[in-house]
Structure formats: C-alpha cells, structure tokens
C-alpha cells in the first residue's frame, strides 16, 4: 500500500554520490525558503535513531551484509516517515532531506539488489518526493573532495561510486532534477533554485 498521508507541504530530496555538497545546498535552500516565510524541516538518512546509528557505524567498522543493510534502512525509514516526515508534510512544512530511498536504490543496487524491487519496497510506505535535486559531479571530483575531508569510509570506493552515479542517471522520473554541481557554491545554489522554479515547485 502506497503512502496515503495528508500532504500539505513539499518533500524535496537532495541526492548524489558522496562529495557533491548535499548538506551545503540544503542549507542554502533552507535559507531561501525561510526568507519567503516557509516552514522548513531539515533532516537526513540514515538518521541517528537506533537503526540508522547501526548503519552509520558500519561505514567505519565494515559494511554489513546486503540483507542486513536493507533491513536496517527500511526500519530506519519507516520510523523517520512516521515520526518526522509525515507530520511535517501534514502541517504544511517543506521537508528537505539529505538522502532518501533513491540512495538505497543506488548504493544497495550497486551491491546487486534489483533497483526496482528497492523502489517498490520503499514506496509501499514512504511518500514519493515532490522533487529530487540530483547533485551530479564526476566521480573523480567526488573522490578528490572526499579525500580532502579525511579517510574514505566503506561506502566511498571508486567502483561503487561509479555504479551509484550510473543508477542515479538511470532514474527516469519527471521529479528527478539533475543539477550540475561541479561549480562554485553560489552558482550551484542558484541552479538548485532555478531547477525547482523550472519544474514549477517554486514561483
């Protein structure tokens, strides 16, 4: 059964491989929206709840099995939807997420799970985004940025990132808005707003 909650707000998801600047540009869009009097709820996945914490720990201690990752992501997302996303959408807030189930499609899809199975599994309970800002940069640029901020974790191997980027590129939905993020911060922030305006989410 698909998500049937009341949606008076908007769900905007920022996606992309590691190193694309998702948190930076969520912050910029949050500032832009709040200046227009819009309530913004900012969050991320995996969360720091009981299930999400286990996933975050595994990035450092070593990846779990594919089945374990899928189980934890689903439990974490179900809790996230129930406690934060659905209530915020119902009261009319705009929810800005750093990663969502499309990252699961990309990263767990890169490990061999069928991408459409992942989508179906999530859309049984998770609201479909109003728009996804796919911040796209070359993998080499991403690896350079990741290297500058410290040691890579278990999710940041070059081959895996190449596979993930290809999966993101293959998601054929009108709400999947590609933004070239290989530019200065202010330029990319303007591109994000422009993409949402062109899609009709913002006037």
């Amino acid at each position: 059964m698909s998500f049937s909650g009341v949606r008076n707000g908007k769900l905007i998801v920022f996606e992309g491989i590691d190193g694309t600047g998702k948190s930076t540009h969520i912050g910029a869009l949050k500032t832009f929206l709040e200046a227009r009097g819009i309530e913004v709820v900012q969050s991320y996945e995996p969360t720091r709840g009981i299930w999400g914490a286990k996933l975050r720990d595994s990035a450092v201690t070593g990846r779990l099995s594919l089945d374990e990752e899928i189980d934890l992501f689903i439990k974490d997302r179900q809790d996230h939807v129930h406690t934060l996303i659905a209530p915020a959408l119902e009261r009319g807030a705009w929810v800005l997420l750093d990663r969502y189930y499309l990252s699961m499609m990309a990263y767990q899809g890169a490990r061999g799970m069928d991408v459409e199975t992942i989508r179906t599994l999530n859309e049984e309970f998770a609201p479909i985004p109003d728009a996804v800002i796919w911040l796209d940069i070359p993998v080499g640029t991403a690896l350079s940025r990741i290297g500058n901020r410290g040691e890579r974790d278990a999710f940041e191997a070059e081959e895996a990132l190449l596979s993930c980027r290809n999966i993101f590129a293959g998601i054929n939905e009108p709400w999947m808005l590609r933004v070239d993020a290989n530019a200065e911060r202010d330029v990319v922030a303007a591109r994000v707003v422009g993409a949402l305006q062109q899609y009709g989410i913002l006037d």
Side-chain angles (χ1 to χ4, degrees):
M1 184 175 66
S2 61
F3 176 78
S4 59
V6 177
R7 191 189 304 220
N8 296 312
K10 301 290 185 185
L11 176 58
I12 310 297
V13 177
F14 282 68
E15 290 285 9
I17 60 176
D18 299 84
T20 56
K22 292 181 296 301
S23 58
T24 295
H25 292 296
I26 287 174
L29 182 59
K30 181 175 185 286
T31 298
F32 178 88
L33 294 172
E34 288 179 338
R36 293 184 163 204
I38 297 171
E39 180 193 356
V40 176
V41 174
Q42 180 178 346
S43 192
Y44 48 79
E45 292 190 354
T47 72
R48 297 196 182 275
I50 183 172
W51 314 115
K54 292 180 180 181
L55 286 163
R56 289 181 175 276
D57 289 345
S58 75
V60 177
T61 60
R63 292 192 72 168
L64 304 168
S65 72
L66 180 57
D67 286 344
E68 288 173 315
E69 282 187 359
I70 294 291
D71 181 60
L72 289 173
F73 270 114
I74 292 296
K75 288 178 177 176
D76 187 49
R77 187 163 298 116
Q78 285 173 331
D79 185 63
H80 199 199
V81 169
H82 176 71
T83 61
L84 185 144
I85 297 172
L89 291 176
E90 183 174 359
R91 70 174 181 266
W94 284 44
V95 180
L96 306 185
L97 288 187
D98 183 342
R99 298 201 180 283
Y100 196 39
Y101 65 80
L102 284 86
S103 277
M104 188 176 172
M105 290 167 65
Y107 282 81
Q108 280 62 52
R111 292 191 73 181
M113 186 168 179
D114 180 69
V115 170
E116 289 307 313
T117 298
I118 295 173
R119 181 205 291 264
T120 300
L121 187 63
N122 281 275
E123 289 182 356
E124 287 179 349
F125 69 90
I128 295 172
D130 291 283
V132 172
I133 298 295
W134 171 34
L135 297 174
D136 186 31
I137 60 174
V139 169
T141 302
L143 290 171
S144 176
R145 292 181 182 181
I146 293 166
N148 288 337
R149 72 188 187 201
E151 186 178 352
R152 298 177 197 166
D153 67 30
F155 294 85
E156 294 172 339
E158 182 174 5
E159 185 177 353
L161 292 182
L162 283 168
S163 296
C164 291
R165 184 173 183 247
N166 288 337
I167 291 172
F168 281 127
I171 298 174
N172 186 23
E173 295 287 354
W175 40 256
M176 187 76 169
L177 312 179
R178 180 188 176 275
V179 172
D180 181 358
N182 194 19
E184 295 297 320
R185 181 180 304 181
D186 290 348
V187 172
V188 178
R191 288 173 180 172
V192 168
V193 171
L196 292 171
Q197 289 172 330
Q198 185 173 1
Y199 186 54
I201 295 289
L202 284 172
D203 54 25

